[in-house]
Amino acid sequence: IDELRKLSWSGIPKRVRPIAWKLLSGYLPANVDRRESTLQRKRKEYFAFVEQYYDSRNDENHQDTYRQIHIDIPRMSPEVLRLQPKVTEIFERILFIWAIRHPASGYVQGINDLVTPFFVVFICEYIEEEEVENFDVSSLPEEVLQNIEADSYWCMSKLLDGIQDNYTFAQPGIQKKVKMLEELVSRIDEQVHRHLDQHEVKYLQFAFRWMNNLLMREVPLRCTIRLWDTYQSEPEGFSHFHLYVCAAFLVRWRKEILEEKDFQELLIFLQNLPTVHWGNEDISVLLAEAYKLKFAFADAPNHYKK
Amino acid sequence: MQKHNQKEHLYKLLVIGDLGVGKTSIIKRYVHQNFSPHYRATIGVDFALKVLNWDAETVVRLQLWDIAGQERFGNMTRVYYREAMGAFIVFDVTRPATFEAVTKWKEDLDSKLILPNGKPVPAVLLANKCDQGIDVLMNNGIKMDQFCKENGFVGWFETSAKENININEASRCLVKHIIASESDPVQSVEPDIIKPHLNSSKIVSCSACFKS
């Protein structure tokens, strides 16, 4: 598994990504002999949850949660298959079950986005990635879809286990990380930091979403998937390494940031960064920068404290 | 070209209300003149800018802060509300629960934000998605003018981001009250009651899509 982590850090080939993600997330055991039985057990367990909880979605104490999820699903990443009723149903079940089983946070807007990469990667085991955009999901056998659903649920749960304080009341994890991002940027690029400060741009105004949605709103889905190859290979990838990626991401736009001379323009730019054409190359550069930052600062926290 | 004697105002406006009521759609319609049924759910806060030629001497720049519908459950709103001059509180006429939440949003706003003169910020209530033909307000017999008066709204409008109904009007109403409260900090402005275009005898709303 350590070998797999090392190899995956710089990107996983499409063909093996589904199995690699299941291993890296800790959903599947490294031991080959136990994999099939684990899969079967976990899939059964998930559908037992569905049976146990899903009917309660219209109960008084759960209907708010369900309604919020129901409203948010059609509003997810436009790139995906979100408008197919079959997909909507699957996402609603995954999110509702997760919310019910994690009452400390419940459903928080943004969590809905985090299912998508798993779902898309796992579905690509059965179709070509290029087809995803206009693929009719209901043409897949029911059993295949059920497996994808259960696997997506468990992998998403594993991810969220590592960043749960992002989504508990008042989202303390995010507050903390935005603060840390600010400190980090003030150390690595004082000019950018001062410029933002001068124009009264607060990090919370743009970086809240970077933390809450793990940059998914800022880059195309294909880039998120590549990013997650690394996050899942890196120890505390989603909870800690992400911070360095965010810092590298901000500084990546230093030229444009320094050119903008007022609060309005700065904030509009920072909330609509031009990444539409980004590909693996851009992500690789970003990750390399982030790695350098981590190397320079991670083990010496005082380096970036004022 | 800006004239020499032109005055420029910059106002920060909040757009708040439960999730999925159409806050983002209203702003996109207002600022970009378009509509999509599937804007992504707002996370944290989204920011937009609208410039109004208010009159021959005045340009008004509006900073619109589109605040995520789930925010009330955290404490983030306090940060976002800072220094706002006015607010739209939005609900969805097809979902009564979102109307019930209006008073909670108003309380949240007033408890965290007060104008320098000690008054609450002017707030306009928007009954959005009025194109949907399901009129919760009228079915429930809720007296909107009464409701606005009791809850301290300066006016209310039935709006549709989809059909572009009443959004400009609502904004002018809010800006008018902001300007008035600025120039005359002591005297309060009369609640905004505009008669419908038709010769309706009932004074119900400022709304053009009011169905009698």
Side-chain angles (χ1 to χ4, degrees):
Chain A
I1 189 88
D2 286 339
E3 196 58 29
L4 179 65
R5 281 184 202 285
K6 231 181 270 170
L7 286 170
S8 304
W9 205 96
S10 11
I12 303 170
K14 271 180 216 164
R15 203 165 33 83
V16 294
R17 195 176 260 142
I19 178 85
W21 276 28
K22 286 173 202 168
L23 286 163
L24 291 169
S25 65
Y27 172 47
L28 272 189
N31 183 329
V32 181
D33 299 335
R34 283 175 38 230
R35 282 183 202 163
E36 196 47 45
S37 60
T38 304
L39 273 182
Q40 282 181 10
R41 183 167 49 81
K42 287 305 223 180
R43 286 166 179 171
K44 238 171 95 184
E45 195 183 338
Y46 170 74
F47 282 101
F49 291 156
V50 172
E51 194 147 317
Q52 187 184 346
Y53 299 115
Y54 200 55
D55 284 340
S56 74
R57 66 190 183 279
N58 294 317
D59 291 358
E60 205 172 320
N61 49 338
H62 291 152
Q63 63 180 11
D64 276 355
T65 299
Y66 179 70
R67 201 176 296 143
Q68 292 191 348
I69 292 170
H70 186 74
I71 291 171
D72 278 352
I73 300 280
R75 307 198 289 164
M76 296 187 340
S77 247
E79 295 120 305
V80 205
L81 331 117
R82 57 182 177 139
L83 290 180
Q84 299 181 30
K86 202 88 206 172
V87 179
T88 309
E89 275 171 40
I90 291 172
F91 275 56
E92 279 181 8
R93 273 196 298 270
I94 292 176
L95 289 165
F96 182 75
I97 301 298
W98 189 88
I100 294 298
R101 291 189 45 79
H102 296 82
S105 58
Y107 171 70
V108 176
Q109 289 192 309
I111 290 180
N112 55 335
D113 277 355
L114 305 184
V115 186
T116 312
F118 293 113
F119 185 81
V120 168
V121 164
F122 295 156
I123 215 164
C124 283
E125 206 169 345
Y126 304 94
I127 58 171
E128 291 300 316
E129 194 179 81
E130 295 70 40
E131 294 173 43
V132 166
E133 304 259 337
N134 22 25
F135 178 71
D136 179 10
V137 169
S138 59
S139 68
L140 283 172
E142 192 62 32
E143 199 201 331
V144 166
L145 275 177
Q146 286 189 353
N147 292 344
I148 292 172
E149 177 175 342
D151 296 350
S152 300
Y153 171 83
W154 287 113
C155 288
M156 182 199 75
S157 299
K158 291 278 184 195
L159 190 174
L160 285 166
D161 285 347
I163 53 171
Q164 238 204 312
D165 66 346
N166 278 6
Y167 305 107
T168 48
F169 182 77
Q171 307 197 253
I174 292 186
Q175 306 266 10
K176 197 180 84 192
K177 280 171 213 160
V178 170
K179 196 90 207 112
M180 285 165 79
L181 175 68
E182 189 174 348
E183 273 179 29
L184 188 54
V185 173
S186 76
R187 292 292 304 182
I188 61 171
D189 196 330
E190 214 206 329
Q191 207 185 348
V192 165
H193 180 73
R194 256 210 328 261
H195 187 76
L196 294 177
D197 191 48
Q198 249 167 28
H199 294 91
E200 292 182 55
V201 173
K202 303 266 182 289
Y203 284 71
L204 203 58
Q205 290 158 354
F206 61 91
F208 181 86
R209 189 171 70 193
W210 294 11
M211 301 302 170
N212 193 72
N213 291 42
L214 299 171
L215 286 179
M216 279 190 68
R217 290 289 185 89
E218 326 307 320
V219 298
L221 182 62
R222 58 178 182 277
C223 294
T224 295
I225 290 174
R226 168 64 195 86
L227 199 56
W228 286 21
D229 288 344
T230 304
Y231 282 2
Q232 294 185 94
S233 315
E234 176 77 22
E236 299 185 290
F238 292 100
S239 60
H240 192 70
F241 186 63
H242 178 65
L243 182 66
Y244 296 100
V245 173
C246 287
F249 187 62
L250 180 64
V251 172
R252 158 78 178 69
W253 310 99
R254 74 184 311 276
K255 185 170 155 282
E256 292 87 344
I257 290 170
L258 295 174
E259 275 168 11
E260 300 288 0
K261 301 286 184 214
D262 81 5
F263 172 84
Q264 265 82 220
E265 299 304 323
L266 267 169
L267 212 51
I268 287 173
F269 175 74
L270 287 168
Q271 290 193 338
N272 303 278
L273 293 165
T275 59
V276 191
H277 300 295
W278 270 36
N280 283 348
E281 272 306 297
D282 301 273
I283 296 296
S284 297
V285 172
L286 186 67
L287 286 166
E289 283 302 315
Y291 189 76
K292 272 198 268 175
L293 291 177
K294 184 194 142 178
F295 194 76
F297 291 110
D299 302 322
N302 290 332
H303 275 199
Y304 68 87
K305 289 246 167 69
K306 278 181 185 162
Chain B
M1 267 294 160
Q2 191 159 325
K3 293 170 209 144
H4 279 305
N5 54 352
Q6 218 168 20
K7 281 180 294 182
E8 200 177 286
H9 293 282
L10 175 67
Y11 298 129
K12 170 174 171 178
L13 304 185
L14 306 170
V15 183
I16 54 181
D18 268 9
L19 82 173
V21 297
K23 298 178 291 296
T24 303
S25 299
I26 287 172
I27 292 173
K28 298 268 182 186
R29 167 61 79 188
Y30 187 48
V31 175
H32 304 292
Q33 288 87 40
N34 57 25
F35 176 80
S36 147
H38 295 293
Y39 292 117
R40 292 187 278 180
T42 305
I43 304 297
V45 60
D46 268 347
F47 184 86
L49 190 66
K50 171 85 178 179
V51 181
L52 285 180
N53 293 310
W54 185 251
D55 56 32
E57 292 98 56
T58 324
V59 171
V60 173
R61 290 159 70 84
L62 301 175
Q63 263 182 20
L64 296 154
W65 292 59
D66 178 6
I67 293 170
Q70 233 186 1
E71 278 311 326
R72 187 159 48 86
F73 304 104
N75 211 6
M76 228 72 84
T77 50
R78 191 181 295 279
V79 183
Y80 300 143
Y81 289 176
R82 276 188 52 218
E83 290 169 13
M85 302 288 287
F88 295 106
I89 297 185
V90 188
F91 72 98
D92 171 353
V93 293
T94 68
R95 287 190 293 140
T98 66
F99 177 70
E100 285 155 29
V102 164
T103 45
K104 290 182 200 137
W105 280 103
K106 187 70 166 64
E107 279 163 23
D108 188 59
L109 179 67
D110 290 343
S111 69
K112 292 173 181 165
L113 184 65
I114 299 168
L115 290 179
N117 64 12
K119 296 215 170 94
V121 290
V124 166
L125 181 62
L126 304 183
N128 195 37
K129 307 194 190 180
C130 72
D131 57 278
Q132 299 282 302
I134 308 162
D135 208 327
V136 170
L137 307 174
M138 296 311 145
N139 293 346
N140 289 357
I142 294 165
K143 305 274 186 293
M144 287 301 285
D145 291 334
Q146 186 67 22
F147 178 85
C148 284
K149 217 170 167 182
E150 282 166 9
N151 291 281
F153 286 95
V154 299
W156 74 281
F157 292 81
E158 282 190 294
T159 57
S160 164
K162 191 176 171 193
E163 304 295 339
N164 194 16
I165 297 168
N166 267 345
I167 293 169
N168 291 315
E169 290 79 355
S171 176
R172 292 197 76 86
C173 168
L174 183 57
V175 171
K176 194 178 80 188
H177 281 269
I178 294 171
I179 291 176
S181 72
E182 267 195 329
S183 58
D184 188 3
V186 195
Q187 209 177 354
S188 75
V189 189
E190 281 297 297
D192 207 51
I193 297 168
I194 302 166
K195 287 168 194 163
H197 301 306
L198 304 169
N199 295 329
S200 166
S201 57
K202 297 169 282 183
I203 301 170
V204 200
S205 75
C206 348
S207 162
C209 60
F210 168 68
K211 294 170 261 328
S212 53

